[in-house]
């Protein structure tokens, strides 16, 4: 009994891994409960594919966390194997040694997290230390590897004269980017005593060769699991507002190792693309090896206090699976709506809610003279529709030779017509404007869009707004504004809007309808044969916005 207690890797009171604070939004620690949910998903898939076999009773399998932080995944896998292999390897010490030396592998992402991971898995920061529960290691790192890696800077256009480590004069670039991860040299070309955040797993041109260097030529992993770093600050904004996603690079290299299964948790922004994620989105949507995706759209549900706009999701990938993916939506700990098996590439973005897919199918299937309807995204302007950023003009038109009223961020002002550099012909047209950022990062966002602004001739806008459409008359502009207020339109925008940012692509599910008449939600439900149950679903997500609400300039952006 005493011997068994010494190897107990679970049910600590309290579990220290529930108490570790996240260091940043880039490297988020996984709660043990979530790690076990992911492992349960893996367990079910293995059992179904292997005639009811228990994955934790197979002593030949190898598990890799290539971006281990707290070591929670490796610890929980070890605990399950200790229980599952007790009949195969009855001696506890022999069993633990076998598991930790032959089956459990990790790559630390920083020196600190590698020490935490070893403490979690081996119960000692040194795998070969006197307190380690593994007795067969000769190296301090055991099977949890970490060494400092440097970025590979390319593309510099600014240089300084300096010296190398031997004192030899050299000309050094200072504003390059890492060719592997895209990190900013100005931000992360740091001294030897600081972390480089050059993660080894993605700083290689051949991941299979690199893994062979770390763990041996014959190393093939059956399961790759973990929670990769999400992003790197790129020096382009304050407070982390500007950052480059890198989790996609980890996923691509993990899948390139050809495991039997991969289980990972990542931000959900890739569902609709975004900064540096378009190719990754397309690859993931078309990958029919994805078996299950559990989506947590609400901010803070999974990682309390960590602001990951658009929510997070974990997914299971199976090398031998080729078919539909089970999609599950969870709010808190509860499954919301219905689970559904479907192809993820039915549309160019991943539609999160299964109920929404059936509504969208109805709308996409509508035909006029045998042809599909055009979408509103084709007419919505790009960013900076008039070439203006966030300039402010004068409060009145006094003293301005040819004044234009400019709608800006919660303010209007007057500028000379000559200040307008794009789409000058639009100035003297009727138009409808909508802010390009609205909402609260996906949590309880029930309005989706701001209040439409009907802007008459002699007007323009800053980059705060997009131009939704150009109209011939005021009546048509007000009809278009009324259409944008409907729950129907805002629901369709919500299917593509995963953060508070809104682009012209956000409107590509919205039909482009004639504006020579007014449109109500009831008109639209009847036009597209939306069922009462589907109407109830739409209206449970989208708040009513009265059509007689006065137009005013507003911009809601919580960046």
């Amino acid at each position: 009994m005493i011997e068994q207690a010494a190897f107990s890797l679970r049910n600590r009171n309290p579990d220290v891994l529930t108490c570790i604070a996240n260091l940043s939004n880039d490297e988020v620690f996984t709660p043990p409960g979530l790690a076990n949910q992911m492992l349960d998903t893996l367990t079910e898939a293995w059992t179904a594919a292997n005639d009811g076999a228990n994955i934790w009773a197979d002593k030949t399998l190898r598990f890799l966390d290539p971006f281990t932080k707290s070591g929670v995944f490796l610890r929980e896998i070890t605990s399950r194997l200790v229980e599952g292999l007790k009949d195969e390897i009855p001696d506890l010490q022999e069993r633990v040694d076998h598991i930790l030396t032959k089956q459990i592998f990790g790559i630390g992402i920083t020196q600190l997290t590698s020490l935490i991971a070893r403490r979690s898995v081996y119960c000692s920061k040194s795998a070969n230390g006197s307190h380690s529960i593994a007795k067969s290691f000769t190296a301090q790192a055991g099977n949890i590897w970490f060494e400092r890696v440097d970025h590979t800077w390319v593309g510099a256009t600014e240089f300084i004269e300096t010296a190398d480590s031997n004192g030899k004069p050299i000309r050094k670039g200072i504003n390059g980017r890492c060719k592997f991860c895209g990190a900013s040299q100005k931000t992360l070309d740091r001294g030897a005593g600081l972390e480089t955040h050059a993660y080894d797993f993605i700083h290689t041109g051949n991941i299979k060769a690199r893994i062979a260097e770390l763990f041996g030529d014959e190393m093939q992993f059956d399961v790759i699991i973990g929670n990769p770093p999400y992003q790197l600050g790129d020096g382009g904004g304050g407070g982390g507002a500007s950052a480059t996603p890198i989790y996609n690079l980890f996923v691509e290299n993990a899948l390139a190792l050809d495991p039997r299964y991969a289980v990972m948790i990542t931000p959900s922004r890739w569902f609709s693309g975004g900064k540096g994620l378009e190719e990754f989105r397309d690859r993931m949507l078309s990958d029919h090896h994805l078996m299950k995706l559990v989506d947590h759209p609400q901010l803070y549900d999974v990682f309390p206090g960590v602001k990951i706009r658009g929510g997070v999701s974990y997914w299971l990938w199976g090398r031998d699976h080729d078919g539909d993916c089970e999609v599950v939506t969870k709010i808190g700990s509860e499954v919301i709506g219905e689970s559904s098996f479907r192809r993820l590439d039915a549309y160019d973005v991943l539609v999160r809610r299964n109920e929404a897919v059936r509504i969208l199918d109805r709308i996409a299937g509508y035909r006029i003279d045998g042809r599909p309807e055009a979408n509103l995204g084709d007419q919505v302007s790009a960013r900076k529709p008039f070439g203006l950023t966030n300039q402010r003009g004068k409060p009145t038109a006094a003293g301005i030779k040819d004044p234009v009223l400019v709608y800006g961020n919660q303010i209007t002002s007057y500028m000379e017509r000559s200040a307008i550099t794009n789409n000058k012909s639009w100035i003297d047209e009727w138009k409808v404007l909508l802010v390009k950022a609205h909402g609260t990062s996906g949590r309880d966002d029930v309005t989706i869009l701001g209040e439409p602004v009907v802007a008459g001739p002699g007007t323009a806008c800053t980059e705060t707004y997009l131009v939704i459409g150009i109209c011939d008359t005021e009546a048509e502009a007000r009809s278009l504004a009324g259409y944008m207020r409907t729950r129907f339109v805002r629901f369709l925008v919500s299917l593509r809007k995963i953060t508070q940012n809104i682009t012209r692509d956000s409107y590509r599910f919205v039909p482009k309808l004639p504006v020579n008449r007014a449109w109500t939600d009831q008109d639209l439900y009847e036009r597209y044969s939306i069922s009462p149950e589907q109407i109830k679903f739409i209206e449970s997500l989208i708040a009513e916005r009265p059509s007689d609400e006065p137009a005013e300039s507003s911009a809601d952006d919580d960046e």
Side-chain angles (χ1 to χ4, degrees), residues 375-382 426 466-469 484 503-505 507-508:
N375 70 77
L376 200 63
D378 290 335
Q379 76 173 28
V380 174
S381 72
W426 292 358
L466 299 178
V467 176
I468 302 302
M484 303 310 295
T503 68
R504 67 193 308 175
D505 281 345
Y507 297 92
R508 295 209 179 275

Side-chain angles (χ1 to χ4, degrees), residues 29-71:
F29 291 116
T30 309
L34 177 62
N36 277 296
Q37 290 178 37
M38 295 167 66
L39 290 172
D40 289 344
T41 300
L42 171 65
T43 303
E44 293 168 4
W46 181 275
T47 299
N50 291 275
D51 299 322
N54 178 9
I55 187 173
W56 312 114
D58 191 330
K59 68 178 183 179
T60 69
L61 302 181
R62 295 190 181 111
F63 301 82
L64 172 68
D65 181 350
F67 17 80
T68 188
K69 296 182 285 291
S70 69

Side-chain angles (χ1 to χ4, degrees), residues 221-445:
F221 293 102
D222 299 282
V223 176
I224 297 178
I225 187 168
N227 180 7
Y230 294 159
Q231 61 189 31
L232 284 176
D234 60 10
S242 179
T244 300
I246 58 171
Y247 61 89
N248 50 308
L249 305 179
F250 285 96
V251 172
E252 288 165 355
N253 271 5
L255 298 184
L257 290 175
D258 197 31
R260 295 169 74 173
Y261 291 95
V263 196
M264 297 188 202
I265 183 165
T266 65
S268 295
R269 283 192 176 195
W270 67 265
F271 290 1
S272 60
K275 186 176 183 179
L277 293 172
E278 286 81 3
E279 289 185 9
F280 179 70
R281 173 200 61 198
D282 294 344
R283 178 251 167 91
M284 292 293 281
L285 294 185
S286 62
D287 189 342
H288 297 160
H289 297 293
L290 283 169
M291 301 176 64
K292 186 171 184 176
L293 186 148
V294 180
D295 181 27
H296 291 265
Q298 291 281 45
L299 195 66
Y300 306 128
D301 268 2
V302 174
F303 303 119
V306 182
K307 193 171 191 177
I308 303 174
R309 292 181 174 91
V312 299
S313 52
Y314 67 85
W315 44 264
L316 172 70
W317 180 96
R319 184 180 63 198
D320 300 325
H321 177 78
D322 184 6
D324 293 348
C325 178
E326 181 184 7
V327 180
V328 178
T329 303
K330 297 184 77 171
I331 303 296
S333 60
E334 299 296 321
V335 174
I336 301 300
E338 56 194 48
S339 173
S340 177
F341 289 85
R342 56 185 168 99
R343 289 291 173 109
L344 301 184
D345 54 356
Y347 294 95
D348 65 322
V349 300
L350 177 56
V351 180
R352 303 182 86 154
R353 293 292 295 268
N354 297 312
E355 301 92 331
V357 174
R358 280 178 279 282
I359 297 173
L360 190 57
D361 288 345
R362 284 182 179 269
I363 297 166
Y366 189 87
R367 295 291 184 269
I368 299 177
D369 297 328
R371 293 179 294 179
E373 292 179 306
N375 70 77
L376 200 63
D378 290 335
Q379 76 173 28
V380 174
S381 72
R383 290 185 58 196
K384 303 178 186 177
F386 291 93
L388 301 174
T389 55
N390 279 318
Q391 301 101 312
R392 290 188 180 184
K394 295 182 177 180
T396 69
I400 299 178
K401 182 179 179 180
D402 192 358
V404 173
L405 177 64
V406 177
Y407 290 86
N409 188 0
Q410 299 182 334
I411 193 171
T412 56
S413 62
Y414 289 87
M415 296 183 188
E416 286 282 3
R417 185 177 290 255
S418 60
I420 308 301
T421 58
N422 291 347
N423 299 310
K424 293 183 178 182
S425 63
W426 292 358
I427 296 174
D428 294 317
E429 302 283 353
W430 284 95
K431 46 200 163 283
V432 175
L433 315 177
L434 271 168
V435 289
K436 68 176 180 63
H438 178 83
T440 53
S441 303
R443 185 174 184 85
D444 303 325
D445 187 357

Side-chain angles (χ1 to χ4, degrees), residues 469-486:
I470 302 298
C471 302
D472 293 333
T473 65
E474 179 180 1
E476 288 185 353
R478 296 202 175 279
S479 173
L480 176 58
Y483 181 50
M484 303 310 295
R485 290 188 187 98
T486 62

Side-chain angles (χ1 to χ4, degrees), residues 15-310:
D15 183 344
V16 67
L17 298 190
T18 66
C19 306
I20 299 177
N22 289 298
L23 300 178
S24 68
N25 282 19
D26 305 345
E27 300 165 359
V28 181
F29 291 116
T30 309
L34 177 62
N36 277 296
Q37 290 178 37
M38 295 167 66
L39 290 172
D40 289 344
T41 300
L42 171 65
T43 303
E44 293 168 4
W46 181 275
T47 299
N50 291 275
D51 299 322
N54 178 9
I55 187 173
W56 312 114
D58 191 330
K59 68 178 183 179
T60 69
L61 302 181
R62 295 190 181 111
F63 301 82
L64 172 68
D65 181 350
F67 17 80
T68 188
K69 296 182 285 291
S70 69
V72 64
F73 290 103
L74 299 180
R75 188 193 74 173
E76 297 304 310
I77 290 170
T78 300
S79 181
R80 291 175 182 233
L81 289 170
V82 167
E83 176 65 22
L85 289 172
K86 63 183 180 181
D87 293 334
E88 179 78 8
I89 309 176
D91 182 81
L92 183 59
Q93 183 64 69
E94 181 185 351
R95 187 159 76 246
V96 169
D97 271 7
H98 173 84
I99 292 166
L100 295 181
T101 61
K102 304 296 185 184
Q103 296 189 264
I104 300 298
F105 300 83
I107 299 175
I109 61 171
T110 65
Q111 183 176 23
L112 174 61
T113 56
S114 66
L115 294 174
I116 295 173
R118 290 178 197 134
R119 178 63 182 82
S120 298
V121 177
Y122 306 134
C123 298
S124 170
K125 69 177 183 180
S126 300
N128 61 348
S130 59
H131 298 292
S132 173
I133 60 174
K135 302 304 180 184
S136 301
F137 284 120
T138 58
Q140 182 178 359
N143 281 340
I144 300 178
W145 183 92
F146 174 77
E147 287 182 9
R148 179 186 171 92
V149 175
D150 291 321
H151 294 280
T152 302
W153 307 116
V154 296
T157 58
E158 299 175 18
F159 299 86
I160 59 172
E161 300 299 327
T162 184
D164 63 17
S165 58
N166 297 318
K168 181 180 178 181
I170 60 171
R171 186 169 181 257
K172 178 185 175 182
I174 60 172
N175 69 332
R177 293 270 175 182
C178 177
K179 75 173 186 178
F180 292 112
C181 70
S184 163
Q185 185 175 9
K186 287 187 173 181
T187 303
L188 288 174
D189 192 3
R190 313 165 74 178
L194 297 174
E195 291 287 355
T196 64
H197 297 286
Y199 306 114
D200 189 83
F201 193 69
I202 60 173
H203 281 73
T204 175
N206 187 331
I207 186 58
K208 288 187 176 182
R210 184 59 180 145
I211 289 295
E213 291 174 4
L214 298 183
F215 299 117
D217 290 338
E218 301 303 319
M219 188 60 64
Q220 173 65 42
F221 293 102
D222 299 282
V223 176
I224 297 178
I225 187 168
N227 180 7
Y230 294 159
Q231 61 189 31
L232 284 176
D234 60 10
S242 179
T244 300
I246 58 171
Y247 61 89
N248 50 308
L249 305 179
F250 285 96
V251 172
E252 288 165 355
N253 271 5
L255 298 184
L257 290 175
D258 197 31
R260 295 169 74 173
Y261 291 95
V263 196
M264 297 188 202
I265 183 165
T266 65
S268 295
R269 283 192 176 195
W270 67 265
F271 290 1
S272 60
K275 186 176 183 179
L277 293 172
E278 286 81 3
E279 289 185 9
F280 179 70
R281 173 200 61 198
D282 294 344
R283 178 251 167 91
M284 292 293 281
L285 294 185
S286 62
D287 189 342
H288 297 160
H289 297 293
L290 283 169
M291 301 176 64
K292 186 171 184 176
L293 186 148
V294 180
D295 181 27
H296 291 265
Q298 291 281 45
L299 195 66
Y300 306 128
D301 268 2
V302 174
F303 303 119
V306 182
K307 193 171 191 177
I308 303 174
R309 292 181 174 91

